[in-house]
Amino acid sequence: MAMQNGSSQTPWVRHRRHSNEDVQEASKANETHLLVNDQNKYRSMLVRAYSSVWMIGGFALIIYMGHLYITAMIVVIQIFMARELFNLLRRAHVDRCLPGFRMLNWHFFFTAMLFVYGRILGQRLVNTVTSDKVLYQLVSKLIKYQMIACYSLYTAGFVWFILTLKKGMYKYQFGQYAWTHMILIVVFTQSAFTVANIFEGVFWFLLPATLIVINDIAAYFFGFFFGRTPLIKLSPKKTWEGFIGASFTTMISAFVLANIMGRFQWLTCPRKDLSTSWLQCDPGPLFRPEYYTVPKWFPEWFPWKEMAIMPVQWHALCLGLFASIIAPFGGFFASGFKRAFKIKDFGDSIPGHGGITDRMDCQMVMAVFAYIYHQSFVVGQNLMVETILEQILMNLTLDEQQTLYMKLGQILNERMTAQS
Amino acid sequence: MQNSGSQTPRVRHRKRSSEGFQEASKANGSHLLVHDQNKYRSMLIRTYSTVWMIGGFALVIYLGHLYIAAMIVVIQIFMAKELFNLLRRSHEDRQLPGFRMLNWHFFFTAMLFVYGRILSQQLVNTVTTDMVLYKLVSKLVKYHMIACYALYIAGFVWFIVTLKKKMYKYQFSQYAWTHMILIVVFTQSAFTVANIFEGIFWFLLPATLIVINDIAAYIFGFFFGRTPLIKLSPKKTWEGFIGASFTTMISAFLLASIMGRFKWLTCPRKDLSTGWLQCDPDPFFRPEYYTLPRWFSQLFPWKEVAIMPVQWHALCLGLFASIIAPFGGFFASGFKRAFKIKDFGDSIPGHGGITDRMDCQMVMAVFAYIYHQSFVVAMNLSVETILGQILMNLTLEEQQSLFMKLGQMINETMTVQS
């Protein structure tokens, strides 16, 4: 993550280097450019490889350091992405007539941050400060009135916006207001879901993110070597060969990686507070390998007679399927958007790749799916139970919770004895 | 009395209040009689449609929660249609067949998502008698989120696949516009419906306060209006604003007492039936008796006054309705100026489109819900009430699941503490 210049005011025009099939096709068509293009192709691949290695290295370090640091990384990425996108459709000369208007964007950003992370990390924050009585009271009160506090902040921003409407600039200001809302929704939905997944277990963040990276890299290489048939008019450098090759690679990697990642408690245990210490837990039935004897029709050379498959690997196959088929549409959306508004890249923070939004476009779609999948199929969330639990946690003190627990236990016991 | 929203909004006279005419007539004596006739004629049209709207509204309140929710849904559909039509450009749309379908696809997805979440418990409670239906509904509720997400992704993919060269900018703008409309329309209607099932009182009082604020501002402005309030809406005046604020707060205090006596309005509805409601009155609606100070009771015949706690909450709602909710109207005015349209539609004679009527209501509905959740519900929660909720609303398996999760959470908190 150390390769960033500050994002510039306007995105620079740069060569799209997503893959080099069109250079390859151009060279086949136009022999005279062959040597020059070849040199460029390998040079650009080197630049991309260099920044990819740095990104992956930095990422691995943060995973090692833990949940809180990963969340911090997500927040930093989010701030840079929001800044890139806020700058994108701003028109500098119009902005000079509206002092303090950019402040409004960051006001809404701060409100959204408070709302989203307050809800997700609220309970964990309470758990972190339970040792100190005064802090506990303060934090509990904050959590309880979090919704109305965020609403007040939003209303303040809304009123501020209306009071600063300037004659002759209405259309620009309303356009910017709508644009701010869309950016914040896109950026915060996916980062909120990502952080929620992280605290359920780093596995549920690491696996989807890795699958997207693998899908990207595999599509690049399959396209580099075999790319021939264009995939979609929006992204002329994507090919069907790259797409299909990457799909197979992604699904196989999903199956294998789930097994590897599932062995580390650091990755599979949920984190209930905001500490950074070591984690111990019972990983749950998903991560316990089940043994299957290999059926007789498998070829003789297959070395294993029985396989240990964790149930989570089947879930990983679903994640891999989504990552290869649907997640690329996030990339197509970003490409279409850039064509629509005639920009080459969202920013220029990462050499060889463009801006941060260019890297995160598929990740965003995947993060939302991973969270919804996790809530629906892994956790099996029951809305009523969760709502009541949330009410209990927000409004009752620990003693009241224990009283409730005891009384509920008694009633359930009576019911069980009455039934039997 | 409604035409369907036209394709393009028609230019019409802004008839929100007639101070403009009054001031013009004072300045320009020769137009006095003409303006007077127009002022009273426009007020007659407005009063006629206002009476119809209030009458229809009262009827729906009488019919009950489900019908009110249905009315909200119908209003929502018309509002969305008005707003979808607003920034559409018909010549571009002709080249993109099926693109309007996409708007309604997202509308349907949003509807399923929002009402599925809010009414899931009520729906489950309605079908408990029939085993087959109960299993089906429980399954639907369980996989509700992923079903809505799948529908949204289908729309997203469909949008990308139908992107047409040279129309990218138009299509992306329409996509963003669709999202903004759906968010604005559905947030407020979701919160409104959620409030309705907590007790019609929490929907009726805020809505009535907005209507009273509007009417009072109009009348105060009509008679006393002199100092303009804000450049965005040149016909609003400070006299109207302040007069309406006082009127709204006094009405809030009184109306809360009147409305709080009817069980039909104060009881929450736990299922989707339409029958009569019985419930234990909330502590908010039990009048508390305050003895009046001696100097007061010497002048007035009452020795003590009965005030329900809910009346204090009503004062807060009244304060918001008079100070902040009008900004919804200013936002709509600014929006119309920015995009050079006179009204959002023309469904309601004298008032404009449905969005013109609902602009302040939307801001109020969101506040009423958040206020209710933060201050009314939260105050009521104690071990007893939550235990009651658990026993009433959850099945045995859900109760056991909650019991286990609660135990886990308490354990974790204890381990972290020690």
Side-chain angles (χ1 to χ4, degrees), chain A residues 127 162 174 329 336-337 382 384 386 389 391 395 405 407 409, chain B residues 121 149 160 172 327 334-335 381 384 389 398 403 405 407 409 416:
Chain A
N127 282 345
I162 290 177
F174 271 95
F329 280 87
F337 186 85
N382 186 317
M384 269 318 286
E386 293 301 321
L389 268 178
Q391 279 184 344
N395 294 304
Y405 183 70
K407 289 192 176 177
Chain B
Q121 186 52 35
Y149 180 72
I160 290 178
F172 270 96
F327 279 87
F335 185 85
L381 290 177
E384 298 305 322
Q389 265 188 3
E398 290 171 336
F403 182 70
K405 288 189 179 178
M409 285 196 302
V416 171

PDB file of all heavy atoms in Angstrom, chain A residues 127 162 174 329 336-337 382 384 386 389 391 395 405 407 409, chain B residues 121 149 160 172 327 334-335 381 384 389 398 403 405 407 409 416:
ATOM      1  N   ASN A 127     -18.351  -4.352  24.600  1.00  0.00           N
ATOM      2  CA  ASN A 127     -17.611  -5.449  25.221  1.00  0.00           C
ATOM      3  C   ASN A 127     -16.191  -5.067  25.566  1.00  0.00           C
ATOM      4  O   ASN A 127     -15.607  -5.614  26.498  1.00  0.00           O
ATOM      5  CB  ASN A 127     -17.575  -6.653  24.274  1.00  0.00           C
ATOM      6  CG  ASN A 127     -18.881  -7.407  24.283  1.00  0.00           C
ATOM      7  OD1 ASN A 127     -19.696  -7.223  25.171  1.00  0.00           O
ATOM      8  ND2 ASN A 127     -19.085  -8.244  23.293  1.00  0.00           N
ATOM      9  N   ILE A 162     -29.621  23.298   2.063  1.00  0.00           N
ATOM     10  CA  ILE A 162     -30.693  24.149   1.559  1.00  0.00           C
ATOM     11  C   ILE A 162     -30.365  25.621   1.779  1.00  0.00           C
ATOM     12  O   ILE A 162     -30.617  26.466   0.906  1.00  0.00           O
ATOM     13  CB  ILE A 162     -32.024  23.761   2.219  1.00  0.00           C
ATOM     14  CG1 ILE A 162     -32.452  22.390   1.699  1.00  0.00           C
ATOM     15  CG2 ILE A 162     -33.093  24.792   1.953  1.00  0.00           C
ATOM     16  CD1 ILE A 162     -33.696  21.882   2.340  1.00  0.00           C
ATOM     17  N   PHE A 174     -27.601  20.545  -6.782  1.00  0.00           N
ATOM     18  CA  PHE A 174     -28.422  19.348  -6.614  1.00  0.00           C
ATOM     19  C   PHE A 174     -27.725  18.136  -7.214  1.00  0.00           C
ATOM     20  O   PHE A 174     -27.780  17.036  -6.665  1.00  0.00           O
ATOM     21  CB  PHE A 174     -29.802  19.533  -7.262  1.00  0.00           C
ATOM     22  CG  PHE A 174     -30.802  20.118  -6.319  1.00  0.00           C
ATOM     23  CD1 PHE A 174     -31.046  21.479  -6.297  1.00  0.00           C
ATOM     24  CD2 PHE A 174     -31.501  19.308  -5.447  1.00  0.00           C
ATOM     25  CE1 PHE A 174     -31.958  22.025  -5.408  1.00  0.00           C
ATOM     26  CE2 PHE A 174     -32.421  19.845  -4.555  1.00  0.00           C
ATOM     27  CZ  PHE A 174     -32.647  21.210  -4.540  1.00  0.00           C
ATOM     28  N   PHE A 329     -19.056  -8.231 -13.457  1.00  0.00           N
ATOM     29  CA  PHE A 329     -19.964  -7.167 -13.888  1.00  0.00           C
ATOM     30  C   PHE A 329     -19.704  -5.861 -13.141  1.00  0.00           C
ATOM     31  O   PHE A 329     -20.033  -4.785 -13.648  1.00  0.00           O
ATOM     32  CB  PHE A 329     -21.424  -7.609 -13.726  1.00  0.00           C
ATOM     33  CG  PHE A 329     -21.890  -8.489 -14.843  1.00  0.00           C
ATOM     34  CD1 PHE A 329     -21.693  -9.856 -14.799  1.00  0.00           C
ATOM     35  CD2 PHE A 329     -22.487  -7.948 -15.953  1.00  0.00           C
ATOM     36  CE1 PHE A 329     -22.096 -10.666 -15.841  1.00  0.00           C
ATOM     37  CE2 PHE A 329     -22.905  -8.752 -16.995  1.00  0.00           C
ATOM     38  CZ  PHE A 329     -22.706 -10.116 -16.945  1.00  0.00           C
ATOM     39  N   GLY A 336     -18.143   0.972 -18.108  1.00  0.00           N
ATOM     40  CA  GLY A 336     -19.226   1.714 -18.751  1.00  0.00           C
ATOM     41  C   GLY A 336     -19.320   3.117 -18.196  1.00  0.00           C
ATOM     42  O   GLY A 336     -19.494   4.097 -18.920  1.00  0.00           O
ATOM     43  N   PHE A 337     -19.176   3.230 -16.860  1.00  0.00           N
ATOM     44  CA  PHE A 337     -19.242   4.531 -16.211  1.00  0.00           C
ATOM     45  C   PHE A 337     -18.130   5.449 -16.718  1.00  0.00           C
ATOM     46  O   PHE A 337     -18.356   6.620 -17.019  1.00  0.00           O
ATOM     47  CB  PHE A 337     -19.115   4.327 -14.707  1.00  0.00           C
ATOM     48  CG  PHE A 337     -19.300   5.562 -13.916  1.00  0.00           C
ATOM     49  CD1 PHE A 337     -20.566   5.986 -13.560  1.00  0.00           C
ATOM     50  CD2 PHE A 337     -18.218   6.325 -13.523  1.00  0.00           C
ATOM     51  CE1 PHE A 337     -20.739   7.146 -12.835  1.00  0.00           C
ATOM     52  CE2 PHE A 337     -18.388   7.468 -12.798  1.00  0.00           C
ATOM     53  CZ  PHE A 337     -19.650   7.884 -12.452  1.00  0.00           C
ATOM     54  N   ASN A 382     -32.071 -15.256  11.850  1.00  0.00           N
ATOM     55  CA  ASN A 382     -33.504 -15.097  12.034  1.00  0.00           C
ATOM     56  C   ASN A 382     -33.760 -13.650  12.449  1.00  0.00           C
ATOM     57  O   ASN A 382     -33.230 -13.196  13.456  1.00  0.00           O
ATOM     58  CB  ASN A 382     -33.967 -16.061  13.128  1.00  0.00           C
ATOM     59  CG  ASN A 382     -35.469 -16.057  13.265  1.00  0.00           C
ATOM     60  OD1 ASN A 382     -36.093 -15.006  13.244  1.00  0.00           O
ATOM     61  ND2 ASN A 382     -36.036 -17.233  13.414  1.00  0.00           N
ATOM     62  N   MET A 384     -36.297 -11.937  13.594  1.00  0.00           N
ATOM     63  CA  MET A 384     -36.945 -11.615  14.863  1.00  0.00           C
ATOM     64  C   MET A 384     -35.991 -11.808  16.025  1.00  0.00           C
ATOM     65  O   MET A 384     -35.889 -10.977  16.917  1.00  0.00           O
ATOM     66  CB  MET A 384     -38.169 -12.513  15.062  1.00  0.00           C
ATOM     67  CG  MET A 384     -39.445 -11.952  14.528  1.00  0.00           C
ATOM     68  SD  MET A 384     -39.662 -10.207  14.876  1.00  0.00           S
ATOM     69  CE  MET A 384     -40.043 -10.237  16.597  1.00  0.00           C
ATOM     70  N   GLU A 386     -32.783 -11.769  15.991  1.00  0.00           N
ATOM     71  CA  GLU A 386     -31.730 -10.756  15.987  1.00  0.00           C
ATOM     72  C   GLU A 386     -32.242  -9.413  16.491  1.00  0.00           C
ATOM     73  O   GLU A 386     -31.543  -8.712  17.208  1.00  0.00           O
ATOM     74  CB  GLU A 386     -31.188 -10.574  14.558  1.00  0.00           C
ATOM     75  CG  GLU A 386     -30.446 -11.777  14.003  1.00  0.00           C
ATOM     76  CD  GLU A 386     -29.253 -12.174  14.854  1.00  0.00           C
ATOM     77  OE1 GLU A 386     -28.555 -11.284  15.364  1.00  0.00           O
ATOM     78  OE2 GLU A 386     -29.041 -13.390  15.014  1.00  0.00           O
ATOM     79  N   LEU A 389     -32.585  -9.639  20.243  1.00  0.00           N
ATOM     80  CA  LEU A 389     -31.257  -9.663  20.858  1.00  0.00           C
ATOM     81  C   LEU A 389     -30.645  -8.270  20.857  1.00  0.00           C
ATOM     82  O   LEU A 389     -30.032  -7.844  21.839  1.00  0.00           O
ATOM     83  CB  LEU A 389     -30.344 -10.618  20.070  1.00  0.00           C
ATOM     84  CG  LEU A 389     -30.309 -12.056  20.567  1.00  0.00           C
ATOM     85  CD1 LEU A 389     -29.421 -12.871  19.669  1.00  0.00           C
ATOM     86  CD2 LEU A 389     -29.790 -12.113  21.988  1.00  0.00           C
ATOM     87  N   GLN A 391     -32.217  -5.433  20.843  1.00  0.00           N
ATOM     88  CA  GLN A 391     -32.900  -4.622  21.844  1.00  0.00           C
ATOM     89  C   GLN A 391     -32.365  -4.926  23.234  1.00  0.00           C
ATOM     90  O   GLN A 391     -32.128  -4.033  24.039  1.00  0.00           O
ATOM     91  CB  GLN A 391     -34.403  -4.922  21.826  1.00  0.00           C
ATOM     92  CG  GLN A 391     -35.143  -4.204  20.735  1.00  0.00           C
ATOM     93  CD  GLN A 391     -36.629  -4.463  20.821  1.00  0.00           C
ATOM     94  OE1 GLN A 391     -37.067  -5.397  21.496  1.00  0.00           O
ATOM     95  NE2 GLN A 391     -37.393  -3.639  20.157  1.00  0.00           N
ATOM     96  N   ASN A 395     -30.473  -2.038  25.446  1.00  0.00           N
ATOM     97  CA  ASN A 395     -31.262  -1.353  26.464  1.00  0.00           C
ATOM     98  C   ASN A 395     -31.131  -1.922  27.865  1.00  0.00           C
ATOM     99  O   ASN A 395     -31.550  -1.279  28.811  1.00  0.00           O
ATOM    100  CB  ASN A 395     -32.737  -1.380  26.062  1.00  0.00           C
ATOM    101  CG  ASN A 395     -32.951  -0.567  24.811  1.00  0.00           C
ATOM    102  OD1 ASN A 395     -32.611   0.591  24.775  1.00  0.00           O
ATOM    103  ND2 ASN A 395     -33.453  -1.191  23.779  1.00  0.00           N
ATOM    104  N   TYR A 405     -32.071 -13.858  31.308  1.00  0.00           N
ATOM    105  CA  TYR A 405     -31.568 -15.171  30.920  1.00  0.00           C
ATOM    106  C   TYR A 405     -32.089 -16.245  31.870  1.00  0.00           C
ATOM    107  O   TYR A 405     -32.585 -17.293  31.445  1.00  0.00           O
ATOM    108  CB  TYR A 405     -30.035 -15.125  30.931  1.00  0.00           C
ATOM    109  CG  TYR A 405     -29.367 -16.390  30.480  1.00  0.00           C
ATOM    110  CD1 TYR A 405     -29.422 -16.788  29.161  1.00  0.00           C
ATOM    111  CD2 TYR A 405     -28.673 -17.196  31.392  1.00  0.00           C
ATOM    112  CE1 TYR A 405     -28.799 -17.947  28.740  1.00  0.00           C
ATOM    113  CE2 TYR A 405     -28.055 -18.357  30.973  1.00  0.00           C
ATOM    114  CZ  TYR A 405     -28.112 -18.718  29.651  1.00  0.00           C
ATOM    115  OH  TYR A 405     -27.489 -19.870  29.251  1.00  0.00           O
ATOM    116  N   LYS A 407     -34.740 -16.109  33.890  1.00  0.00           N
ATOM    117  CA  LYS A 407     -36.199 -16.284  33.817  1.00  0.00           C
ATOM    118  C   LYS A 407     -36.581 -17.060  32.563  1.00  0.00           C
ATOM    119  O   LYS A 407     -37.424 -17.955  32.604  1.00  0.00           O
ATOM    120  CB  LYS A 407     -36.892 -14.923  33.799  1.00  0.00           C
ATOM    121  CG  LYS A 407     -36.833 -14.210  35.118  1.00  0.00           C
ATOM    122  CD  LYS A 407     -37.780 -13.017  35.139  1.00  0.00           C
ATOM    123  CE  LYS A 407     -37.764 -12.393  36.528  1.00  0.00           C
ATOM    124  NZ  LYS A 407     -38.585 -11.201  36.607  1.00  0.00           N
ATOM    125  N   GLY A 409     -34.732 -19.152  30.983  1.00  0.00           N
ATOM    126  CA  GLY A 409     -34.331 -20.529  31.184  1.00  0.00           C
ATOM    127  C   GLY A 409     -35.366 -21.314  31.960  1.00  0.00           C
ATOM    128  O   GLY A 409     -35.720 -22.435  31.608  1.00  0.00           O
TER     129      GLY A 409
ATOM    130  N   GLN B 121     -42.977 -10.157  10.630  1.00  0.00           N
ATOM    131  CA  GLN B 121     -43.533 -10.724  11.857  1.00  0.00           C
ATOM    132  C   GLN B 121     -45.052 -10.748  11.812  1.00  0.00           C
ATOM    133  O   GLN B 121     -45.689 -11.715  12.224  1.00  0.00           O
ATOM    134  CB  GLN B 121     -43.057  -9.883  13.062  1.00  0.00           C
ATOM    135  CG  GLN B 121     -43.460 -10.460  14.384  1.00  0.00           C
ATOM    136  CD  GLN B 121     -43.070 -11.902  14.528  1.00  0.00           C
ATOM    137  OE1 GLN B 121     -42.031 -12.332  14.038  1.00  0.00           O
ATOM    138  NE2 GLN B 121     -43.914 -12.685  15.170  1.00  0.00           N
ATOM    139  N   TYR B 149     -31.687  -9.717  -2.920  1.00  0.00           N
ATOM    140  CA  TYR B 149     -30.379  -9.437  -3.480  1.00  0.00           C
ATOM    141  C   TYR B 149     -30.257 -10.043  -4.858  1.00  0.00           C
ATOM    142  O   TYR B 149     -29.737  -9.418  -5.777  1.00  0.00           O
ATOM    143  CB  TYR B 149     -29.291  -9.995  -2.556  1.00  0.00           C
ATOM    144  CG  TYR B 149     -27.904  -9.740  -3.055  1.00  0.00           C
ATOM    145  CD1 TYR B 149     -27.361  -8.473  -3.015  1.00  0.00           C
ATOM    146  CD2 TYR B 149     -27.124 -10.762  -3.587  1.00  0.00           C
ATOM    147  CE1 TYR B 149     -26.092  -8.224  -3.478  1.00  0.00           C
ATOM    148  CE2 TYR B 149     -25.862 -10.521  -4.047  1.00  0.00           C
ATOM    149  CZ  TYR B 149     -25.342  -9.252  -3.988  1.00  0.00           C
ATOM    150  OH  TYR B 149     -24.087  -9.018  -4.451  1.00  0.00           O
ATOM    151  N   ILE B 160     -26.312  -3.627 -17.289  1.00  0.00           N
ATOM    152  CA  ILE B 160     -25.007  -3.602 -17.957  1.00  0.00           C
ATOM    153  C   ILE B 160     -25.089  -4.205 -19.342  1.00  0.00           C
ATOM    154  O   ILE B 160     -24.505  -3.696 -20.295  1.00  0.00           O
ATOM    155  CB  ILE B 160     -23.975  -4.344 -17.097  1.00  0.00           C
ATOM    156  CG1 ILE B 160     -23.695  -3.512 -15.859  1.00  0.00           C
ATOM    157  CG2 ILE B 160     -22.701  -4.591 -17.860  1.00  0.00           C
ATOM    158  CD1 ILE B 160     -22.742  -4.150 -14.924  1.00  0.00           C
ATOM    159  N   PHE B 172     -26.613   5.806 -17.516  1.00  0.00           N
ATOM    160  CA  PHE B 172     -26.076   5.868 -16.163  1.00  0.00           C
ATOM    161  C   PHE B 172     -26.802   6.910 -15.323  1.00  0.00           C
ATOM    162  O   PHE B 172     -27.082   6.685 -14.142  1.00  0.00           O
ATOM    163  CB  PHE B 172     -24.566   6.178 -16.178  1.00  0.00           C
ATOM    164  CG  PHE B 172     -23.724   4.939 -16.236  1.00  0.00           C
ATOM    165  CD1 PHE B 172     -23.253   4.466 -17.439  1.00  0.00           C
ATOM    166  CD2 PHE B 172     -23.416   4.252 -15.076  1.00  0.00           C
ATOM    167  CE1 PHE B 172     -22.484   3.315 -17.488  1.00  0.00           C
ATOM    168  CE2 PHE B 172     -22.648   3.101 -15.119  1.00  0.00           C
ATOM    169  CZ  PHE B 172     -22.185   2.627 -16.329  1.00  0.00           C
ATOM    170  N   PHE B 327     -38.304  22.442   5.618  1.00  0.00           N
ATOM    171  CA  PHE B 327     -37.135  22.362   4.741  1.00  0.00           C
ATOM    172  C   PHE B 327     -37.332  21.324   3.655  1.00  0.00           C
ATOM    173  O   PHE B 327     -36.707  21.412   2.596  1.00  0.00           O
ATOM    174  CB  PHE B 327     -35.868  22.083   5.553  1.00  0.00           C
ATOM    175  CG  PHE B 327     -35.315  23.312   6.191  1.00  0.00           C
ATOM    176  CD1 PHE B 327     -35.762  23.735   7.434  1.00  0.00           C
ATOM    177  CD2 PHE B 327     -34.371  24.072   5.539  1.00  0.00           C
ATOM    178  CE1 PHE B 327     -35.276  24.888   8.012  1.00  0.00           C
ATOM    179  CE2 PHE B 327     -33.881  25.226   6.118  1.00  0.00           C
ATOM    180  CZ  PHE B 327     -34.326  25.637   7.356  1.00  0.00           C
ATOM    181  N   GLY B 334     -36.373  24.121  -4.424  1.00  0.00           N
ATOM    182  CA  GLY B 334     -35.067  24.305  -5.034  1.00  0.00           C
ATOM    183  C   GLY B 334     -34.856  23.338  -6.175  1.00  0.00           C
ATOM    184  O   GLY B 334     -34.331  23.692  -7.229  1.00  0.00           O
ATOM    185  N   PHE B 335     -35.315  22.092  -5.955  1.00  0.00           N
ATOM    186  CA  PHE B 335     -35.168  21.071  -6.980  1.00  0.00           C
ATOM    187  C   PHE B 335     -35.933  21.468  -8.235  1.00  0.00           C
ATOM    188  O   PHE B 335     -35.421  21.345  -9.359  1.00  0.00           O
ATOM    189  CB  PHE B 335     -35.687  19.745  -6.430  1.00  0.00           C
ATOM    190  CG  PHE B 335     -35.482  18.592  -7.339  1.00  0.00           C
ATOM    191  CD1 PHE B 335     -34.283  17.911  -7.332  1.00  0.00           C
ATOM    192  CD2 PHE B 335     -36.475  18.191  -8.202  1.00  0.00           C
ATOM    193  CE1 PHE B 335     -34.076  16.840  -8.176  1.00  0.00           C
ATOM    194  CE2 PHE B 335     -36.282  17.129  -9.044  1.00  0.00           C
ATOM    195  CZ  PHE B 335     -35.075  16.454  -9.029  1.00  0.00           C
ATOM    196  N   LEU B 381     -38.755  -0.499  27.473  1.00  0.00           N
ATOM    197  CA  LEU B 381     -38.155  -1.815  27.535  1.00  0.00           C
ATOM    198  C   LEU B 381     -37.660  -2.113  28.931  1.00  0.00           C
ATOM    199  O   LEU B 381     -36.884  -1.382  29.511  1.00  0.00           O
ATOM    200  CB  LEU B 381     -36.988  -1.894  26.555  1.00  0.00           C
ATOM    201  CG  LEU B 381     -37.455  -1.898  25.103  1.00  0.00           C
ATOM    202  CD1 LEU B 381     -36.253  -1.908  24.202  1.00  0.00           C
ATOM    203  CD2 LEU B 381     -38.284  -3.110  24.820  1.00  0.00           C
ATOM    204  N   GLU B 384     -39.378  -7.324  31.953  1.00  0.00           N
ATOM    205  CA  GLU B 384     -40.717  -7.912  31.823  1.00  0.00           C
ATOM    206  C   GLU B 384     -41.248  -7.801  30.403  1.00  0.00           C
ATOM    207  O   GLU B 384     -41.751  -8.756  29.829  1.00  0.00           O
ATOM    208  CB  GLU B 384     -41.693  -7.195  32.779  1.00  0.00           C
ATOM    209  CG  GLU B 384     -41.339  -7.328  34.242  1.00  0.00           C
ATOM    210  CD  GLU B 384     -41.194  -8.771  34.663  1.00  0.00           C
ATOM    211  OE1 GLU B 384     -41.989  -9.607  34.168  1.00  0.00           O
ATOM    212  OE2 GLU B 384     -40.293  -9.082  35.458  1.00  0.00           O
ATOM    213  N   GLN B 389     -42.406 -10.083  25.048  1.00  0.00           N
ATOM    214  CA  GLN B 389     -42.246 -10.108  23.591  1.00  0.00           C
ATOM    215  C   GLN B 389     -41.725 -11.458  23.125  1.00  0.00           C
ATOM    216  O   GLN B 389     -42.200 -12.029  22.147  1.00  0.00           O
ATOM    217  CB  GLN B 389     -41.223  -9.045  23.166  1.00  0.00           C
ATOM    218  CG  GLN B 389     -41.818  -7.739  22.765  1.00  0.00           C
ATOM    219  CD  GLN B 389     -40.763  -6.825  22.168  1.00  0.00           C
ATOM    220  OE1 GLN B 389     -39.606  -7.217  22.008  1.00  0.00           O
ATOM    221  NE2 GLN B 389     -41.162  -5.644  21.845  1.00  0.00           N
ATOM    222  N   GLU B 398     -37.221 -20.779  18.151  1.00  0.00           N
ATOM    223  CA  GLU B 398     -36.588 -19.462  18.147  1.00  0.00           C
ATOM    224  C   GLU B 398     -36.254 -19.027  19.561  1.00  0.00           C
ATOM    225  O   GLU B 398     -35.204 -18.424  19.806  1.00  0.00           O
ATOM    226  CB  GLU B 398     -37.515 -18.439  17.485  1.00  0.00           C
ATOM    227  CG  GLU B 398     -37.655 -18.646  15.977  1.00  0.00           C
ATOM    228  CD  GLU B 398     -38.740 -17.770  15.381  1.00  0.00           C
ATOM    229  OE1 GLU B 398     -39.648 -17.369  16.119  1.00  0.00           O
ATOM    230  OE2 GLU B 398     -38.680 -17.504  14.179  1.00  0.00           O
ATOM    231  N   PHE B 403     -32.192 -18.080  23.533  1.00  0.00           N
ATOM    232  CA  PHE B 403     -31.662 -18.397  24.852  1.00  0.00           C
ATOM    233  C   PHE B 403     -30.171 -18.748  24.761  1.00  0.00           C
ATOM    234  O   PHE B 403     -29.343 -18.257  25.521  1.00  0.00           O
ATOM    235  CB  PHE B 403     -32.471 -19.560  25.421  1.00  0.00           C
ATOM    236  CG  PHE B 403     -32.066 -19.976  26.799  1.00  0.00           C
ATOM    237  CD1 PHE B 403     -32.327 -19.164  27.884  1.00  0.00           C
ATOM    238  CD2 PHE B 403     -31.419 -21.183  27.017  1.00  0.00           C
ATOM    239  CE1 PHE B 403     -31.959 -19.541  29.158  1.00  0.00           C
ATOM    240  CE2 PHE B 403     -31.059 -21.573  28.292  1.00  0.00           C
ATOM    241  CZ  PHE B 403     -31.326 -20.754  29.378  1.00  0.00           C
ATOM    242  N   LYS B 405     -28.027 -18.002  22.302  1.00  0.00           N
ATOM    243  CA  LYS B 405     -27.198 -16.875  21.865  1.00  0.00           C
ATOM    244  C   LYS B 405     -27.002 -15.881  23.001  1.00  0.00           C
ATOM    245  O   LYS B 405     -25.910 -15.333  23.184  1.00  0.00           O
ATOM    246  CB  LYS B 405     -27.860 -16.166  20.677  1.00  0.00           C
ATOM    247  CG  LYS B 405     -27.802 -16.978  19.412  1.00  0.00           C
ATOM    248  CD  LYS B 405     -28.274 -16.163  18.225  1.00  0.00           C
ATOM    249  CE  LYS B 405     -28.175 -17.008  16.968  1.00  0.00           C
ATOM    250  NZ  LYS B 405     -28.667 -16.304  15.795  1.00  0.00           N
ATOM    251  N   GLY B 407     -27.047 -16.599  26.152  1.00  0.00           N
ATOM    252  CA  GLY B 407     -26.094 -17.189  27.083  1.00  0.00           C
ATOM    253  C   GLY B 407     -24.670 -16.982  26.614  1.00  0.00           C
ATOM    254  O   GLY B 407     -23.776 -16.623  27.384  1.00  0.00           O
ATOM    255  N   MET B 409     -23.519 -14.659  24.640  1.00  0.00           N
ATOM    256  CA  MET B 409     -23.093 -13.258  24.718  1.00  0.00           C
ATOM    257  C   MET B 409     -22.767 -12.854  26.143  1.00  0.00           C
ATOM    258  O   MET B 409     -21.778 -12.161  26.390  1.00  0.00           O
ATOM    259  CB  MET B 409     -24.203 -12.363  24.173  1.00  0.00           C
ATOM    260  CG  MET B 409     -24.281 -12.429  22.678  1.00  0.00           C
ATOM    261  SD  MET B 409     -25.237 -11.091  22.005  1.00  0.00           S
ATOM    262  CE  MET B 409     -26.753 -11.343  22.835  1.00  0.00           C
ATOM    263  N   VAL B 416     -14.615 -11.179  29.138  1.00  0.00           N
ATOM    264  CA  VAL B 416     -13.851  -9.975  28.823  1.00  0.00           C
ATOM    265  C   VAL B 416     -13.664  -9.112  30.058  1.00  0.00           C
ATOM    266  O   VAL B 416     -12.620  -8.512  30.271  1.00  0.00           O
ATOM    267  CB  VAL B 416     -14.570  -9.165  27.713  1.00  0.00           C
ATOM    268  CG1 VAL B 416     -13.923  -7.821  27.542  1.00  0.00           C
ATOM    269  CG2 VAL B 416     -14.520  -9.925  26.410  1.00  0.00           C
TER     270      VAL B 416
END
